[in-house]
Amino acid sequence: MKKACVLLAPGCEEMEAVIVIDVLRRGGVEVVATGLQEGVFEASRQVKLCGDVALDDLENAKDFDLLVLPGGIPGTHALRDDPRVRDLLLHYFQSPHKTIGVICAAALVLDAHGLLEGKRFTCYPSTAPDIQGGTWVDERVVVDGNLITSQGPGTAMAFALKLVERLVGVETSMEVAEGMLFEG
Amino acid sequence: MKKACVLLAPGCEEMEAVIVIDVLRRGGVEVVATGLQEGVFEASRQVKLCGDVALDDLENAKDFDLLVLPGGIPGTHALRDDPRVRDLLLHYFQSPHKTIGVICAAALVLDAHGLLEGKRFTCYPSTAPDIQGGTWVDERVVVDGNLITSQGPGTAMAFALKLVERLVGVETSMEVAEGMLFEG
């Protein structure tokens, strides 16, 4: 069974976070929703979420097949400024068989660590001018090697389904889409 | 400012719950995410959510403009079997200026209390055969008077935007849709 770590920062976009976790689990992926901190926190629109585990207590943080960064402000800033997240991102980027999924404003986190250089990517359109590296593409989901990026809440389901496709397969992804009545 | 109460049962569909809360707040609606019980609970795909308040502690539970029931199993069964929810539903149904929003399997809750009689409604397609009252319509969002119904996770954003349209107005709903990059 494939395994995914979804990083949850206070102020993350709750739709993006919850859609990714839910859809990956529907696709048969083992997901650990990992809070930057312990306990309940408020997401960007004050929905109260709680990780399955706090990052400091997560064993084998480098052994997942997929690392996902939801967007949202100020959650993106918390991810960007966290040295633990930087270390994880660098590890996943350097591992050829691992996938990184980043949506919405969270592309800023990759850019802050120089990880968009030479990459085709997308993000929330109004965030794009603040990004230095890479080539921004105006598509809802963009795949470049092991990096899968997407634009915002309205594209989160398509993004999550693309992650299922990558980890499990296109048939499973299509079955999950059908079960959710998703018309993408 | 319009006010909405979203009822959160353990085992509710987390995408449907979170999308509705988030989108209503983006539309300027004051939302109280109301747990059937206190504290953190697991939704249908084990996402850990927490209400803003527990139903027993909610003041003025009958003074909202909108009552929303997310779907999901077993959350729908918990809503159906809760006499507090029944009382609230009957109150909201009898109040001409209030709106009720119900998505996915949660139409079973309305049906259990005889509230679909004479209504056009929709729900998750495979749930429809289990429903006795009303006329099921195969549309993603169905409006019949003060009852707004929808089908599942993939239609939750359109459902939430329809609720914003009803409470706040079509222009605001369209602005929220655009801000989320929703293509419905």
Side-chain angles (χ1 to χ4, degrees):
Chain A
M1 186 185 249
K2 297 286 185 172
K3 298 196 301 178
C5 174
V6 179
L7 291 176
L8 299 179
C12 69
E13 216 304 318
E14 45 270 76
M15 294 189 282
E16 295 169 358
V18 169
I19 288 169
V20 166
I21 298 167
D22 187 321
V23 171
L24 284 169
R25 285 179 175 158
R26 284 171 180 255
V29 176
E30 182 184 329
V31 180
V32 179
T34 304
L36 291 195
Q37 59 191 39
E38 206 173 351
V40 176
F41 65 91
E42 286 197 3
S44 66
R45 270 73 188 181
Q46 290 76 55
V47 171
K48 292 180 175 63
L49 299 175
C50 183
D52 300 317
V53 63
L55 182 51
D56 280 343
D57 299 325
L58 180 65
E59 293 181 11
N60 306 321
K62 295 182 174 174
D63 291 348
F64 291 86
D65 300 291
L66 167 67
L67 182 69
V68 183
L69 277 59
I73 302 291
T76 289
H77 299 154
L79 293 172
R80 181 194 60 196
D81 299 338
D82 192 315
R84 301 170 303 172
V85 175
R86 177 183 168 277
D87 289 349
L88 276 181
L89 276 172
L90 291 175
H91 170 78
Y92 279 80
F93 255 87
Q94 290 157 2
S95 305
H97 299 298
K98 295 184 185 296
T99 300
I100 296 182
V102 176
I103 183 166
C104 200
L108 289 166
V109 184
L110 300 181
D111 194 47
H113 305 311
L115 299 174
L116 288 175
E117 284 301 329
K119 296 279 186 185
R120 291 174 76 252
F121 76 99
T122 196
C123 66
Y124 195 76
S126 70
T127 302
D130 297 328
I131 288 186
Q132 311 301 315
T135 302
W136 188 77
V137 183
D138 189 11
E139 292 172 9
R140 294 168 77 76
V141 182
V142 173
V143 178
D144 185 346
N146 288 345
L147 176 64
I148 299 179
T149 52
S150 187
Q151 297 195 321
T155 70
M157 212 166 265
F159 170 63
L161 288 164
K162 181 60 72 178
L163 297 175
V164 170
E165 182 184 326
R166 169 65 64 101
L167 264 65
V168 186
V170 67
E171 282 188 27
T172 298
S173 177
M174 289 173 67
E175 286 167 12
V176 172
E178 190 180 348
M180 297 191 300
L181 313 172
F182 175 71
E183 291 179 354
Chain B
M1 186 184 247
K2 297 285 185 171
K3 297 195 302 179
C5 175
V6 179
L7 292 176
L8 299 181
C12 69
E13 216 304 318
E14 44 270 74
M15 294 189 281
E16 295 169 358
V18 169
I19 288 170
V20 166
I21 297 167
D22 186 321
V23 171
L24 285 169
R25 285 180 176 158
R26 285 171 179 255
V29 176
E30 182 184 328
V31 179
V32 179
T34 304
L36 291 195
Q37 59 192 38
E38 206 172 351
V40 175
F41 65 90
E42 285 196 4
S44 66
R45 270 73 187 182
Q46 291 75 53
V47 171
K48 293 181 173 63
L49 299 175
C50 183
D52 300 317
V53 63
L55 182 52
D56 279 344
D57 299 324
L58 179 65
E59 292 181 10
N60 306 319
K62 296 183 174 175
D63 290 347
F64 291 86
D65 301 291
L66 167 66
L67 182 69
V68 182
L69 276 60
I73 301 292
T76 289
H77 299 153
L79 293 171
R80 181 193 62 197
D81 298 338
D82 192 316
R84 301 171 301 173
V85 175
R86 177 182 169 277
D87 290 350
L88 275 182
L89 276 172
L90 292 175
H91 170 79
Y92 279 79
F93 254 87
Q94 290 157 2
S95 304
H97 299 298
K98 295 185 186 296
T99 300
I100 296 182
V102 176
I103 183 166
C104 199
L108 290 166
V109 185
L110 301 179
D111 195 47
H113 305 310
L115 298 174
L116 287 175
E117 285 300 330
K119 295 280 187 186
R120 292 175 75 252
F121 76 99
T122 196
C123 66
Y124 195 77
S126 70
T127 302
D130 297 328
I131 288 186
Q132 312 299 316
T135 304
W136 188 77
V137 183
D138 188 12
E139 293 171 9
R140 293 169 76 77
V141 182
V142 173
V143 178
D144 184 346
N146 289 345
L147 176 64
I148 300 178
T149 51
S150 188
Q151 297 194 322
T155 70
M157 213 167 265
F159 171 63
L161 288 164
K162 181 60 74 177
L163 297 174
V164 171
E165 180 183 327
R166 169 64 64 98
L167 264 64
V168 185
V170 67
E171 282 188 27
T172 298
S173 177
M174 289 173 68
E175 286 166 13
V176 172
E178 190 180 347
M180 296 191 300
L181 312 173
F182 176 71
E183 290 180 353

